[in-house]
Amino acid sequence: EIVLTQSPGTLSLSPGERATLSCRASQIVSGSYLAWYQQKPGQAPRLLIYSASTRAAGIPDRFSGSESGTDFTLTISRLEPDDFARYYCQLSSTWTFGQGTRVEIE
Amino acid sequence: QVQLVQSGAEVKKPGASLTVSCKASGYSFRLYGVIWVRQGPGEGLEWMGWISAYNGNRRSAEKFQDRITLTTDTDTNTAYMELRGLRSDDTAVYYCARVSCTNGVCRGVDGLHFWGQGTTVTVSS
């Protein structure tokens, strides 16, 4: 069973700062199946990135994704107030979700 | 525009069955599948299963396999998720989402772009 481990659990940052979120797979996986979602309280998840690095339609270019081996990274270049939320990675080849990273205002 | 509209909140007793519907519009229903994901209170996202609207192929997470039934009605463009033998730990928000499929296998390589609004289910005696 492939496990996705996200770190850190919580990221405390200020608007304008750079956020780097990690998602590590327990074994080698294809980045073609790796997606990132943003979720705010009371809302459905919102797709940000798919195939590890492709932005979904309408997603600002301050969001970017990358992969290196079993490590996947979501980077938010300059945090805006609307970006404070929980973020999940997900592998659609096994439909596994990471446990999430909460990005909170410091 | 693509929309997925789910049925309303439910309160169920332990042991009962639950059916959540997900009505799709704005796209060719049979060209995609529907995936079901749930989220317990304060918890993360948990995949439950998917079904291809093209040919009815389906796959469920192992923990739900004996309790879940996924169906679609291509006349009304609606997907259904039935969960039987409800327990208190089935209390959650249940989401449907559109998923891309190829030859009846839903892999969602392009991610889950469209989601329903969620259905809150409370299981309590």
Side-chain angles (χ1 to χ4, degrees):
Chain A
E1 177 191 349
I2 297 174
V3 176
L4 297 179
T5 302
Q6 292 189 240
S7 62
T10 301
L11 200 49
S12 299
L13 295 167
S14 300
E17 290 194 290
R18 181 184 188 90
T20 302
L21 287 68
S22 173
C23 174
R24 174 168 290 176
S26 58
Q27 55 187 273
I28 293 174
V29 298
S30 170
S32 298
Y33 296 102
L34 197 287
W36 289 92
Y37 297 85
Q38 177 194 69
Q39 188 180 33
K40 297 178 181 178
Q43 296 184 16
R46 173 194 182 197
L47 176 67
L48 299 175
I49 301 283
Y50 62 94
S51 297
S53 59
T54 303
R55 268 188 303 278
I59 301 303
D61 61 6
R62 65 179 182 274
F63 291 93
S64 63
S66 62
E67 66 175 296
S68 177
T70 58
D71 292 330
F72 298 86
T73 301
L74 174 70
T75 302
I76 311 171
S77 59
R78 289 174 54 85
L79 281 165
E80 296 199 357
D82 191 50
D83 299 337
F84 291 91
R86 182 171 288 272
Y87 293 82
Y88 294 93
C89 60
Q90 177 245 331
L91 189 66
S92 57
S93 54
T94 58
W95 294 110
T96 307
F97 285 92
Q99 81 279 20
T101 290
R102 180 183 175 212
V103 178
E104 65 175 22
I105 299 177
E106 186 172 38
Chain B
Q1 71 282 20
V2 175
Q3 278 195 306
L4 298 170
V5 179
Q6 297 182 223
S7 48
E10 302 257 21
V11 178
K12 295 289 186 180
K13 294 200 181 300
S17 295
L18 164 75
T19 299
V20 179
S21 66
C22 172
K23 183 169 176 59
S25 61
Y27 71 95
S28 297
F29 184 68
R30 295 193 62 172
L31 293 183
Y32 293 86
V34 174
I35 187 172
W36 292 89
V37 172
R38 76 177 187 180
Q39 186 169 38
E43 310 254 324
L45 301 167
E46 180 178 32
W47 171 66
M48 300 182 72
W50 56 256
I51 181 168
S52 165
Y54 173 68
N55 60 7
N57 275 1
R58 69 207 72 187
R59 185 179 160 216
S60 303
E62 191 171 339
K63 69 177 287 187
F64 299 111
Q65 279 182 354
D66 59 346
R67 297 200 293 140
I68 195 170
T69 300
L70 303 179
T71 56
T72 59
D73 182 340
T74 55
D75 290 333
T76 61
N77 293 347
T78 303
Y80 298 91
M81 186 279 297
E82 180 193 28
L83 191 63
R84 300 175 294 278
L86 290 171
R87 308 183 287 253
S88 58
D89 61 358
D90 291 318
T91 293
V93 178
Y94 290 74
Y95 293 102
C96 64
R98 190 185 82 171
V99 61
S100 59
C101 310
T102 303
N103 297 325
V105 177
C106 300
R107 288 292 177 89
V109 175
D110 59 343
L112 304 175
H113 291 251
F114 299 99
W115 293 70
Q117 81 277 18
T119 296
T120 299
V121 175
T122 302
V123 182
S124 173
S125 55

Short mmCIF file of all heavy atoms in Angstrom, two decimals, chain B residues 34-92:
data_model
loop_
_atom_site.label_atom_id
_atom_site.label_comp_id
_atom_site.label_asym_id
_atom_site.label_seq_id
_atom_site.Cartn_x
_atom_site.Cartn_y
_atom_site.Cartn_z
N VAL B 34 -17.62 8.98 -11.88
CA VAL B 34 -17.87 9.72 -10.65
C VAL B 34 -17.11 9.03 -9.53
O VAL B 34 -17.16 7.80 -9.38
CB VAL B 34 -19.37 9.78 -10.31
CG1 VAL B 34 -19.59 10.42 -8.94
CG2 VAL B 34 -20.12 10.57 -11.38
N ILE B 35 -16.41 9.82 -8.78
CA ILE B 35 -15.66 9.31 -7.64
C ILE B 35 -16.33 9.81 -6.37
O ILE B 35 -16.93 10.89 -6.35
CB ILE B 35 -14.19 9.76 -7.71
CG1 ILE B 35 -13.34 9.12 -6.64
CG2 ILE B 35 -14.07 11.27 -7.63
CD1 ILE B 35 -11.86 9.38 -6.77
N TRP B 36 -16.25 9.01 -5.31
CA TRP B 36 -16.81 9.39 -4.02
C TRP B 36 -15.69 9.46 -2.99
O TRP B 36 -14.86 8.54 -2.88
CB TRP B 36 -17.87 8.37 -3.59
CG TRP B 36 -19.09 8.42 -4.47
CD1 TRP B 36 -19.31 7.72 -5.62
CD2 TRP B 36 -20.24 9.25 -4.29
NE1 TRP B 36 -20.52 8.04 -6.16
CE2 TRP B 36 -21.12 8.98 -5.36
CE3 TRP B 36 -20.64 10.18 -3.32
CZ2 TRP B 36 -22.36 9.60 -5.49
CZ3 TRP B 36 -21.86 10.80 -3.46
CH2 TRP B 36 -22.72 10.52 -4.53
N VAL B 37 -15.71 10.56 -2.24
CA VAL B 37 -14.69 10.85 -1.22
C VAL B 37 -15.43 11.31 0.02
O VAL B 37 -16.43 12.03 -0.09
CB VAL B 37 -13.73 11.96 -1.72
CG1 VAL B 37 -12.78 12.40 -0.61
CG2 VAL B 37 -12.95 11.48 -2.94
N ARG B 38 -14.96 10.92 1.19
CA ARG B 38 -15.60 11.42 2.40
C ARG B 38 -14.58 12.04 3.32
O ARG B 38 -13.36 11.81 3.20
CB ARG B 38 -16.37 10.31 3.11
CG ARG B 38 -15.53 9.32 3.88
CD ARG B 38 -16.41 8.32 4.59
NE ARG B 38 -15.64 7.46 5.48
CZ ARG B 38 -16.18 6.49 6.23
NH1 ARG B 38 -17.49 6.26 6.18
NH2 ARG B 38 -15.41 5.77 7.01
N GLN B 39 -15.10 12.83 4.26
CA GLN B 39 -14.24 13.54 5.21
C GLN B 39 -14.91 13.59 6.56
O GLN B 39 -15.93 14.26 6.74
CB GLN B 39 -13.98 14.97 4.70
CG GLN B 39 -12.98 15.76 5.50
CD GLN B 39 -12.58 17.02 4.79
OE1 GLN B 39 -13.39 17.68 4.14
NE2 GLN B 39 -11.31 17.40 4.90
N GLY B 40 -14.35 12.85 7.51
CA GLY B 40 -14.87 12.86 8.85
C GLY B 40 -14.61 14.20 9.53
O GLY B 40 -13.78 14.98 9.06
N PRO B 41 -15.29 14.48 10.63
CA PRO B 41 -15.11 15.76 11.34
C PRO B 41 -13.66 16.00 11.71
O PRO B 41 -13.05 15.18 12.41
CB PRO B 41 -16.00 15.58 12.59
CG PRO B 41 -16.95 14.49 12.25
CD PRO B 41 -16.26 13.59 11.29
N GLY B 42 -13.10 17.08 11.22
CA GLY B 42 -11.72 17.42 11.52
C GLY B 42 -10.69 16.49 10.90
O GLY B 42 -9.51 16.54 11.25
N GLU B 43 -11.13 15.64 9.99
CA GLU B 43 -10.23 14.65 9.40
C GLU B 43 -9.85 15.01 7.97
O GLU B 43 -10.32 16.02 7.43
CB GLU B 43 -10.92 13.28 9.39
CG GLU B 43 -11.52 12.87 10.71
CD GLU B 43 -10.69 11.80 11.38
OE1 GLU B 43 -10.14 10.93 10.70
OE2 GLU B 43 -10.59 11.87 12.62
N GLY B 44 -9.03 14.14 7.38
CA GLY B 44 -8.62 14.34 6.00
C GLY B 44 -9.59 13.70 5.02
O GLY B 44 -10.68 13.26 5.39
N LEU B 45 -9.18 13.65 3.77
CA LEU B 45 -10.02 13.12 2.70
C LEU B 45 -9.77 11.63 2.54
O LEU B 45 -8.63 11.16 2.59
CB LEU B 45 -9.68 13.85 1.40
CG LEU B 45 -9.90 15.36 1.44
CD1 LEU B 45 -9.26 16.03 0.23
CD2 LEU B 45 -11.38 15.69 1.51
N GLU B 46 -10.84 10.90 2.31
CA GLU B 46 -10.76 9.45 2.20
C GLU B 46 -11.52 9.00 0.95
O GLU B 46 -12.72 9.23 0.81
CB GLU B 46 -11.36 8.80 3.45
CG GLU B 46 -11.34 7.28 3.43
CD GLU B 46 -11.90 6.68 4.70
OE1 GLU B 46 -12.81 7.28 5.32
OE2 GLU B 46 -11.44 5.59 5.09
N TRP B 47 -10.79 8.33 0.06
CA TRP B 47 -11.41 7.81 -1.14
C TRP B 47 -12.27 6.61 -0.83
O TRP B 47 -11.87 5.71 -0.10
CB TRP B 47 -10.33 7.39 -2.15
CG TRP B 47 -10.87 6.64 -3.32
CD1 TRP B 47 -11.71 7.12 -4.29
CD2 TRP B 47 -10.61 5.27 -3.65
NE1 TRP B 47 -11.98 6.13 -5.20
CE2 TRP B 47 -11.32 4.99 -4.84
CE3 TRP B 47 -9.86 4.26 -3.07
CZ2 TRP B 47 -11.30 3.73 -5.45
CZ3 TRP B 47 -9.83 3.01 -3.67
CH2 TRP B 47 -10.54 2.76 -4.85
N MET B 48 -13.48 6.58 -1.40
CA MET B 48 -14.40 5.47 -1.18
C MET B 48 -14.52 4.56 -2.40
O MET B 48 -14.57 3.34 -2.28
CB MET B 48 -15.78 5.99 -0.80
CG MET B 48 -15.80 6.84 0.44
SD MET B 48 -17.45 7.39 0.87
CE MET B 48 -18.17 5.84 1.45
N GLY B 49 -14.60 5.17 -3.58
CA GLY B 49 -14.74 4.37 -4.79
C GLY B 49 -15.04 5.23 -6.00
O GLY B 49 -15.27 6.43 -5.87
N TRP B 50 -15.00 4.61 -7.17
CA TRP B 50 -15.38 5.30 -8.40
C TRP B 50 -16.22 4.38 -9.27
O TRP B 50 -16.18 3.15 -9.12
CB TRP B 50 -14.17 5.79 -9.18
CG TRP B 50 -13.13 4.78 -9.57
CD1 TRP B 50 -11.90 4.61 -8.98
CD2 TRP B 50 -13.18 3.82 -10.65
NE1 TRP B 50 -11.21 3.60 -9.62
CE2 TRP B 50 -11.96 3.10 -10.64
CE3 TRP B 50 -14.15 3.50 -11.61
CZ2 TRP B 50 -11.68 2.10 -11.57
CZ3 TRP B 50 -13.87 2.49 -12.53
CH2 TRP B 50 -12.65 1.80 -12.48
N ILE B 51 -16.97 5.01 -10.18
CA ILE B 51 -17.76 4.26 -11.14
C ILE B 51 -17.69 4.97 -12.48
O ILE B 51 -17.79 6.20 -12.54
CB ILE B 51 -19.23 4.08 -10.68
CG1 ILE B 51 -20.03 3.27 -11.70
CG2 ILE B 51 -19.89 5.41 -10.35
CD1 ILE B 51 -21.38 2.80 -11.19
N SER B 52 -17.51 4.21 -13.53
CA SER B 52 -17.53 4.74 -14.87
C SER B 52 -18.98 4.86 -15.35
O SER B 52 -19.72 3.87 -15.30
CB SER B 52 -16.75 3.82 -15.82
OG SER B 52 -17.05 4.13 -17.17
N ALA B 53 -19.37 6.04 -15.79
CA ALA B 53 -20.72 6.22 -16.32
C ALA B 53 -20.82 5.63 -17.73
O ALA B 53 -21.92 5.46 -18.25
CB ALA B 53 -21.10 7.70 -16.34
N TYR B 54 -19.70 5.31 -18.33
CA TYR B 54 -19.68 4.76 -19.69
C TYR B 54 -20.14 3.30 -19.70
O TYR B 54 -20.99 2.91 -20.48
CB TYR B 54 -18.27 4.88 -20.25
CG TYR B 54 -18.07 4.21 -21.58
CD1 TYR B 54 -18.70 4.70 -22.72
CD2 TYR B 54 -17.27 3.08 -21.71
CE1 TYR B 54 -18.53 4.08 -23.95
CE2 TYR B 54 -17.09 2.47 -22.94
CZ TYR B 54 -17.72 2.97 -24.05
OH TYR B 54 -17.56 2.35 -25.26
N ASN B 55 -19.54 2.50 -18.80
CA ASN B 55 -19.88 1.07 -18.85
C ASN B 55 -20.17 0.47 -17.48
O ASN B 55 -20.35 -0.73 -17.35
CB ASN B 55 -18.75 0.28 -19.52
CG ASN B 55 -17.43 0.41 -18.80
OD1 ASN B 55 -17.36 0.99 -17.72
ND2 ASN B 55 -16.38 -0.13 -19.40
N GLY B 56 -20.23 1.33 -16.44
CA GLY B 56 -20.57 0.82 -15.12
C GLY B 56 -19.44 0.16 -14.38
O GLY B 56 -19.62 -0.32 -13.25
N ASN B 57 -18.25 0.09 -14.99
CA ASN B 57 -17.10 -0.43 -14.23
C ASN B 57 -16.96 0.36 -12.94
O ASN B 57 -17.17 1.57 -12.90
CB ASN B 57 -15.81 -0.27 -15.04
CG ASN B 57 -15.59 -1.41 -16.00
OD1 ASN B 57 -16.40 -2.33 -16.10
ND2 ASN B 57 -14.49 -1.35 -16.73
N ARG B 58 -16.59 -0.34 -11.89
CA ARG B 58 -16.46 0.34 -10.60
C ARG B 58 -15.36 -0.30 -9.80
O ARG B 58 -15.00 -1.44 -10.00
CB ARG B 58 -17.79 0.30 -9.85
CG ARG B 58 -18.20 -1.06 -9.34
CD ARG B 58 -19.70 -1.20 -9.22
NE ARG B 58 -20.36 -1.30 -10.52
CZ ARG B 58 -21.67 -1.29 -10.69
NH1 ARG B 58 -22.45 -1.17 -9.65
NH2 ARG B 58 -22.20 -1.40 -11.89
N ARG B 59 -14.88 0.48 -8.86
CA ARG B 59 -13.87 -0.02 -7.92
C ARG B 59 -14.09 0.70 -6.61
O ARG B 59 -14.33 1.91 -6.58
CB ARG B 59 -12.47 0.25 -8.45
CG ARG B 59 -11.39 -0.35 -7.57
CD ARG B 59 -10.00 -0.11 -8.10
NE ARG B 59 -9.03 -0.27 -7.03
CZ ARG B 59 -7.95 0.46 -6.89
NH1 ARG B 59 -7.65 1.39 -7.78
NH2 ARG B 59 -7.12 0.25 -5.90
N SER B 60 -13.97 -0.07 -5.53
CA SER B 60 -14.17 0.52 -4.20
C SER B 60 -12.95 0.27 -3.34
O SER B 60 -12.24 -0.71 -3.52
CB SER B 60 -15.39 -0.10 -3.53
OG SER B 60 -16.55 0.05 -4.31
N ALA B 61 -12.75 1.17 -2.39
CA ALA B 61 -11.70 0.96 -1.41
C ALA B 61 -12.00 -0.30 -0.61
O ALA B 61 -13.17 -0.60 -0.32
CB ALA B 61 -11.60 2.17 -0.49
N GLU B 62 -10.97 -1.01 -0.26
CA GLU B 62 -11.14 -2.31 0.40
C GLU B 62 -12.00 -2.19 1.67
O GLU B 62 -12.83 -3.07 1.93
CB GLU B 62 -9.77 -2.87 0.75
CG GLU B 62 -9.81 -4.32 1.21
CD GLU B 62 -8.42 -4.92 1.33
OE1 GLU B 62 -7.47 -4.38 0.71
OE2 GLU B 62 -8.27 -5.91 2.06
N LYS B 63 -11.85 -1.12 2.42
CA LYS B 63 -12.57 -1.03 3.69
C LYS B 63 -14.07 -0.88 3.51
O LYS B 63 -14.83 -1.11 4.46
CB LYS B 63 -12.02 0.12 4.53
CG LYS B 63 -12.31 1.50 4.01
CD LYS B 63 -11.77 2.57 4.98
CE LYS B 63 -12.60 2.67 6.24
NZ LYS B 63 -12.17 3.82 7.10
N PHE B 64 -14.51 -0.52 2.29
CA PHE B 64 -15.93 -0.33 2.06
C PHE B 64 -16.55 -1.43 1.19
O PHE B 64 -17.76 -1.43 0.98
CB PHE B 64 -16.18 1.02 1.37
CG PHE B 64 -15.74 2.20 2.16
CD1 PHE B 64 -14.65 2.98 1.75
CD2 PHE B 64 -16.38 2.56 3.32
CE1 PHE B 64 -14.22 4.07 2.47
CE2 PHE B 64 -15.97 3.66 4.07
CZ PHE B 64 -14.89 4.42 3.64
N GLN B 65 -15.72 -2.33 0.69
CA GLN B 65 -16.18 -3.22 -0.37
C GLN B 65 -17.43 -4.02 -0.04
O GLN B 65 -18.23 -4.32 -0.93
CB GLN B 65 -15.04 -4.15 -0.79
CG GLN B 65 -14.08 -3.48 -1.75
CD GLN B 65 -12.97 -4.39 -2.21
OE1 GLN B 65 -12.82 -5.52 -1.76
NE2 GLN B 65 -12.17 -3.90 -3.14
N ASP B 66 -17.60 -4.38 1.20
CA ASP B 66 -18.77 -5.20 1.55
C ASP B 66 -19.98 -4.36 1.96
O ASP B 66 -21.04 -4.90 2.26
CB ASP B 66 -18.42 -6.20 2.65
CG ASP B 66 -17.92 -5.51 3.90
OD1 ASP B 66 -17.60 -4.31 3.83
OD2 ASP B 66 -17.86 -6.17 4.96
N ARG B 67 -19.84 -3.04 1.96
CA ARG B 67 -20.93 -2.18 2.43
C ARG B 67 -21.39 -1.15 1.42
O ARG B 67 -22.38 -0.47 1.64
CB ARG B 67 -20.49 -1.40 3.69
CG ARG B 67 -20.17 -2.23 4.88
CD ARG B 67 -20.24 -1.36 6.15
NE ARG B 67 -19.22 -0.35 6.22
CZ ARG B 67 -19.42 0.89 6.66
NH1 ARG B 67 -20.61 1.29 7.04
NH2 ARG B 67 -18.40 1.74 6.73
N ILE B 68 -20.64 -0.98 0.31
CA ILE B 68 -20.92 0.12 -0.61
C ILE B 68 -21.42 -0.39 -1.95
O ILE B 68 -21.00 -1.46 -2.43
CB ILE B 68 -19.64 0.97 -0.81
CG1 ILE B 68 -19.98 2.33 -1.45
CG2 ILE B 68 -18.60 0.23 -1.64
CD1 ILE B 68 -18.79 3.31 -1.45
N THR B 69 -22.36 0.36 -2.52
CA THR B 69 -22.80 0.10 -3.89
C THR B 69 -22.81 1.43 -4.65
O THR B 69 -23.41 2.40 -4.18
CB THR B 69 -24.21 -0.52 -3.92
OG1 THR B 69 -24.20 -1.76 -3.21
CG2 THR B 69 -24.65 -0.77 -5.36
N LEU B 70 -22.13 1.45 -5.76
CA LEU B 70 -22.08 2.63 -6.62
C LEU B 70 -22.85 2.34 -7.90
O LEU B 70 -22.64 1.29 -8.53
CB LEU B 70 -20.63 2.99 -6.97
CG LEU B 70 -19.69 3.25 -5.79
CD1 LEU B 70 -18.29 3.57 -6.29
CD2 LEU B 70 -20.21 4.38 -4.91
N THR B 71 -23.73 3.27 -8.26
CA THR B 71 -24.51 3.12 -9.49
C THR B 71 -24.61 4.46 -10.20
O THR B 71 -24.34 5.52 -9.61
CB THR B 71 -25.93 2.60 -9.20
OG1 THR B 71 -26.57 3.50 -8.28
CG2 THR B 71 -25.91 1.21 -8.59
N THR B 72 -24.98 4.39 -11.46
CA THR B 72 -25.28 5.59 -12.23
C THR B 72 -26.57 5.39 -13.00
O THR B 72 -26.94 4.25 -13.34
CB THR B 72 -24.17 5.95 -13.23
OG1 THR B 72 -23.99 4.86 -14.14
CG2 THR B 72 -22.87 6.26 -12.53
N ASP B 73 -27.27 6.49 -13.26
CA ASP B 73 -28.46 6.49 -14.10
C ASP B 73 -28.18 7.45 -15.25
O ASP B 73 -28.18 8.67 -15.05
CB ASP B 73 -29.68 6.95 -13.29
CG ASP B 73 -30.97 6.94 -14.08
OD1 ASP B 73 -30.91 6.95 -15.34
OD2 ASP B 73 -32.04 6.94 -13.47
N THR B 74 -27.91 6.89 -16.41
CA THR B 74 -27.52 7.74 -17.54
C THR B 74 -28.72 8.46 -18.15
O THR B 74 -28.54 9.35 -18.97
CB THR B 74 -26.80 6.92 -18.62
OG1 THR B 74 -27.63 5.81 -19.00
CG2 THR B 74 -25.46 6.40 -18.11
N ASP B 75 -29.93 8.09 -17.77
CA ASP B 75 -31.11 8.83 -18.24
C ASP B 75 -31.24 10.17 -17.52
O ASP B 75 -31.70 11.16 -18.07
CB ASP B 75 -32.38 8.01 -18.04
CG ASP B 75 -32.45 6.82 -18.98
OD1 ASP B 75 -31.84 6.89 -20.07
OD2 ASP B 75 -33.08 5.81 -18.61
N THR B 76 -30.86 10.18 -16.25
CA THR B 76 -30.98 11.39 -15.45
C THR B 76 -29.62 12.00 -15.11
O THR B 76 -29.55 13.00 -14.40
CB THR B 76 -31.73 11.10 -14.14
OG1 THR B 76 -30.97 10.14 -13.39
CG2 THR B 76 -33.13 10.58 -14.41
N ASN B 77 -28.55 11.41 -15.63
CA ASN B 77 -27.18 11.90 -15.36
C ASN B 77 -26.90 12.01 -13.86
O ASN B 77 -26.36 13.02 -13.38
CB ASN B 77 -26.95 13.25 -16.03
CG ASN B 77 -26.94 13.17 -17.54
OD1 ASN B 77 -26.88 12.08 -18.11
ND2 ASN B 77 -27.02 14.30 -18.20
N THR B 78 -27.28 10.97 -13.15
CA THR B 78 -27.14 10.98 -11.70
C THR B 78 -26.36 9.76 -11.24
O THR B 78 -26.58 8.65 -11.74
CB THR B 78 -28.52 11.00 -11.02
OG1 THR B 78 -29.26 12.14 -11.49
CG2 THR B 78 -28.38 11.08 -9.51
N ALA B 79 -25.45 9.99 -10.32
CA ALA B 79 -24.70 8.90 -9.69
C ALA B 79 -25.21 8.73 -8.25
O ALA B 79 -25.66 9.70 -7.63
CB ALA B 79 -23.21 9.21 -9.67
N TYR B 80 -25.16 7.51 -7.79
CA TYR B 80 -25.64 7.19 -6.44
C TYR B 80 -24.57 6.41 -5.68
O TYR B 80 -23.88 5.55 -6.25
CB TYR B 80 -26.91 6.34 -6.50
CG TYR B 80 -28.07 7.03 -7.16
CD1 TYR B 80 -28.29 6.89 -8.54
CD2 TYR B 80 -28.95 7.83 -6.44
CE1 TYR B 80 -29.36 7.52 -9.16
CE2 TYR B 80 -30.02 8.47 -7.05
CZ TYR B 80 -30.21 8.30 -8.42
OH TYR B 80 -31.27 8.94 -9.03
N MET B 81 -24.49 6.70 -4.40
CA MET B 81 -23.61 5.96 -3.51
C MET B 81 -24.47 5.46 -2.35
O MET B 81 -25.07 6.25 -1.63
CB MET B 81 -22.49 6.86 -2.98
CG MET B 81 -21.42 6.16 -2.16
SD MET B 81 -21.85 5.87 -0.44
CE MET B 81 -22.03 7.55 0.15
N GLU B 82 -24.55 4.14 -2.21
CA GLU B 82 -25.26 3.53 -1.09
C GLU B 82 -24.25 2.94 -0.12
O GLU B 82 -23.34 2.21 -0.54
CB GLU B 82 -26.21 2.43 -1.58
CG GLU B 82 -26.97 1.76 -0.44
CD GLU B 82 -27.67 0.48 -0.87
OE1 GLU B 82 -27.21 -0.19 -1.82
OE2 GLU B 82 -28.67 0.12 -0.22
N LEU B 83 -24.42 3.26 1.14
CA LEU B 83 -23.56 2.71 2.18
C LEU B 83 -24.46 2.04 3.22
O LEU B 83 -25.37 2.68 3.76
CB LEU B 83 -22.71 3.80 2.82
CG LEU B 83 -21.58 3.35 3.74
CD1 LEU B 83 -20.53 2.54 2.98
CD2 LEU B 83 -20.93 4.56 4.41
N ARG B 84 -24.20 0.79 3.49
CA ARG B 84 -25.04 -0.01 4.39
C ARG B 84 -24.35 -0.22 5.72
O ARG B 84 -23.14 -0.01 5.86
CB ARG B 84 -25.34 -1.36 3.74
CG ARG B 84 -26.08 -1.26 2.41
CD ARG B 84 -26.25 -2.63 1.76
NE ARG B 84 -24.98 -3.22 1.37
CZ ARG B 84 -24.33 -2.93 0.25
NH1 ARG B 84 -24.83 -2.04 -0.60
NH2 ARG B 84 -23.19 -3.53 -0.04
N GLY B 85 -25.13 -0.65 6.69
CA GLY B 85 -24.56 -0.96 7.99
C GLY B 85 -23.86 0.21 8.63
O GLY B 85 -22.73 0.09 9.12
N LEU B 86 -24.52 1.36 8.64
CA LEU B 86 -23.87 2.58 9.12
C LEU B 86 -23.45 2.47 10.58
O LEU B 86 -24.13 1.86 11.42
CB LEU B 86 -24.81 3.77 8.94
CG LEU B 86 -25.06 4.19 7.49
CD1 LEU B 86 -26.16 5.23 7.42
CD2 LEU B 86 -23.77 4.72 6.85
N ARG B 87 -22.30 3.08 10.84
CA ARG B 87 -21.75 3.14 12.20
C ARG B 87 -21.49 4.60 12.53
O ARG B 87 -21.49 5.46 11.66
CB ARG B 87 -20.44 2.34 12.28
CG ARG B 87 -20.55 0.93 11.77
CD ARG B 87 -19.25 0.19 11.97
NE ARG B 87 -18.21 0.64 11.04
CZ ARG B 87 -17.79 -0.07 10.02
NH1 ARG B 87 -18.34 -1.25 9.75
NH2 ARG B 87 -16.82 0.38 9.26
N SER B 88 -21.22 4.87 13.78
CA SER B 88 -20.99 6.27 14.18
C SER B 88 -19.78 6.85 13.46
O SER B 88 -19.75 8.05 13.16
CB SER B 88 -20.81 6.36 15.69
OG SER B 88 -19.73 5.55 16.11
N ASP B 89 -18.81 6.02 13.15
CA ASP B 89 -17.62 6.55 12.47
C ASP B 89 -17.84 6.76 10.97
O ASP B 89 -16.91 7.15 10.25
CB ASP B 89 -16.37 5.69 12.72
CG ASP B 89 -16.52 4.27 12.21
OD1 ASP B 89 -17.59 3.92 11.68
OD2 ASP B 89 -15.54 3.51 12.32
N ASP B 90 -19.05 6.54 10.50
CA ASP B 90 -19.42 6.92 9.12
C ASP B 90 -19.93 8.36 9.08
O ASP B 90 -20.23 8.87 8.00
CB ASP B 90 -20.50 5.98 8.57
CG ASP B 90 -19.97 4.58 8.31
OD1 ASP B 90 -18.84 4.46 7.78
OD2 ASP B 90 -20.69 3.61 8.64
N THR B 91 -20.03 8.99 10.26
CA THR B 91 -20.39 10.41 10.29
C THR B 91 -19.32 11.20 9.54
O THR B 91 -18.14 11.16 9.90
CB THR B 91 -20.50 10.90 11.74
OG1 THR B 91 -21.61 10.25 12.36
CG2 THR B 91 -20.68 12.41 11.79
N ALA B 92 -19.75 11.92 8.51
CA ALA B 92 -18.78 12.58 7.64
C ALA B 92 -19.52 13.44 6.63
O ALA B 92 -20.74 13.38 6.50
CB ALA B 92 -17.93 11.55 6.89
#
